[in-house]
Amino acid sequence: MEEIGSKWKPIILYRVSMGINRFSTLLKNIEGINKQMLSKQLKELEKSQILERKMYAEIPPRVEYTITAKGKTLMPLVQAMKKWGQKPAEKPSGKKTATQGDQQLPLFG
């Protein structure tokens, strides 16, 4: 669980599995993440052998990420997390009304 147990790693894995595999595209498609955090998370996923980093000898340099065989074994878990996050939230019992802060962000969207 430690290998994908951060806020961003399941989202990154999901996006890469959907074909969003370049750093700049990931940065644009993951709301709320900054360059430093994305870079750190990608390096950790690569170190854990969940993602593979391929650098192309081009100018400017192009780097693409793909999911490894080990990473593919995690995809059912990531898909289950996505499905769980899309379920409508149960309404709390009592008089409390949902506020904007109580709503979930569509992180996998």
Side-chain angles (χ1 to χ4, degrees), residues 11 15 20 23-31 33 107 109:
I11 300 165
R15 298 292 184 170
I20 301 170
F23 184 88
S24 61
T25 312
L26 286 165
L27 189 60
K28 289 177 190 173
N29 281 277
I30 301 175
E31 188 176 332
I33 197 167
L107 297 176

